[in-house]
Amino acid sequence: MKFTKMHGCGNDYVYVNGFEEHIDDEAKAAVVVSDRHFGIGADGLIIIKPSDIADFEMVMYNADGSRAQMCGNGIRCVAKYVYENGLTDKKSISVVSMGAVKYIDLNVDNGAVVSVKVDMGKPILRASDIPVICDKERAVNEKIKVNGEEYEMTCVSMGNPHAVVFTDIPVAELELEKIGPAFEHHPAFPERVNTEFVNLRGRKNLDMRVWERGTGETLACGTGTCASVVAAIINGYADNEVTVHLRGGELEISWSGNEEDSVFMTGPATTVFSGEINL
């Protein structure tokens, strides 16, 4: 199987051209290629396929083989891949993942995609739609007990569920390997959850670390970055354009604050290497 490894702010995936390659067991392949000791090493597998409702379909698997609905960093890399590999010559494309279509603008310089802007769609704030079990219609500053400690979370879906926790503890000092799994598998989240831990750095900058369901800590999370900015805005902590500082780089997020408006994400996409693997 031919593949290309790419990353968006360190959130790395193995990309496969589904127009040319066929994988019998995609979930198993995701586990094999994602293994950082015995495989290629990645946060998951993304297969680019044809679509009847968009220019391309993104079929995404986490490192444990579970399906994922959306990945902001992943979809930017899909845009870079299809343009630079000649699957399209358009600089504005659409990509569908599990029924949700995203619209993408490519910033191209001398034939290379240098950055990508994605319309990530409207944030989902109704608790039952995220989903999170909550007595209120929205889980904003909702208390939750995890590992015997009480946290306040604001929950947002950007096509996948997120619990955003604002903390005064520097995110670099958090024992995410202990806290993250406890959030992910907490009974309040019927479909598990991605958890973002956020420090406020004024109204235009956030520091963030993320624990992704099915993968663990990643160096960046595009949907989690969007969810964190949405949570900061609805809590009155941030302005409408925010730079989010992640372990793997920076993403620019903008949102009007109106839940009927889309969230926009702009950031890099990087090709690491290409090769072949015998599954």
Side-chain angles (χ1 to χ4, degrees):
M1 180 184 78
K2 294 180 180 179
F3 70 88
T4 298
K5 179 170 174 173
M6 307 178 76
H7 76 84
C9 293
N11 191 192
D12 59 341
Y13 288 87
V14 171
Y15 292 79
V16 174
N17 182 348
F19 289 77
E20 298 178 352
E21 301 282 348
H22 172 74
I23 304 171
D24 290 329
D25 189 335
E26 294 176 347
K28 183 178 179 181
V31 174
V32 171
V33 302
S34 298
D35 191 295
R36 296 190 183 277
H37 298 286
F38 299 102
I40 299 165
D43 292 326
L45 170 68
I46 291 177
I47 308 162
I48 303 167
K49 297 184 179 183
S51 170
D52 293 330
I53 62 172
D55 293 314
F56 301 95
E57 180 183 13
M58 178 176 82
V59 179
M60 177 185 170
Y61 292 87
N62 294 314
D64 66 354
S66 59
R67 278 296 301 271
Q69 293 104 320
M70 179 48 59
C71 173
N73 293 309
I75 204 169
R76 293 201 314 277
C77 291
V78 168
K80 181 180 177 71
Y81 183 100
V82 297
Y83 186 86
E84 293 186 357
N85 285 278
L87 298 181
T88 185
D89 60 0
K90 298 193 297 184
K91 296 179 183 178
S92 294
I93 64 170
S94 59
V95 177
V96 61
S97 177
M98 292 188 76
V101 179
K102 305 298 182 189
Y103 299 92
I104 306 167
D105 294 321
L106 288 68
N107 178 16
V108 178
D109 185 19
N110 290 324
V113 177
V114 294
S115 67
V116 179
K117 181 178 182 180
V118 185
D119 179 341
M120 294 294 290
K122 304 174 185 178
I124 297 168
L125 302 175
R126 185 188 297 272
S128 59
D129 294 337
I130 291 173
V132 53
I133 297 171
C134 178
D135 293 334
K136 304 171 187 173
E137 183 178 352
R138 296 183 179 185
V140 177
N141 283 333
E142 186 73 10
K143 289 181 170 53
I144 185 172
K145 187 167 282 188
V146 177
N147 285 347
E149 292 193 31
E150 191 172 79
Y151 296 85
E152 287 188 353
M153 65 178 181
T154 296
C155 295
V156 180
S157 173
M158 292 301 307
N160 49 2
H162 295 271
V164 181
V165 177
F166 296 99
T167 177
D168 292 329
I169 301 172
V171 291
E173 298 177 9
L174 292 173
E175 293 183 295
L176 210 56
E177 69 280 1
K178 295 180 180 179
I179 309 170
F183 264 94
E184 178 182 352
H185 298 283
H186 194 283
F189 307 108
E191 298 179 9
R192 298 187 291 168
V193 76
N194 304 286
T195 310
E196 287 75 35
F197 298 89
V198 179
N199 296 149
L200 301 168
R201 198 200 297 182
R203 297 188 60 83
K204 295 184 179 297
N205 291 272
L206 305 177
D207 294 328
M208 188 191 99
R209 284 177 70 189
V210 57
W211 182 273
E212 293 198 49
R213 61 177 180 170
T215 299
E217 183 175 12
T218 57
L219 297 183
C221 175
T223 56
T225 303
C226 293
S228 295
V229 172
V230 168
I233 291 172
I234 64 177
N235 278 289
Y237 301 151
D239 293 339
N240 300 110
E241 296 184 1
V242 179
T243 300
V244 182
H245 306 267
L246 305 142
R247 292 186 66 196
E250 297 179 354
L251 292 174
E252 304 294 332
I253 310 297
S254 62
W255 182 53
S256 70
N258 184 339
E259 62 186 281
E260 295 302 315
D261 291 341
S262 290
V263 181
F264 291 90
M265 172 193 62
T266 303
T270 303
T271 300
V272 184
F273 63 88
S274 296
E276 295 185 19
I277 185 171
N278 186 346
L279 294 175

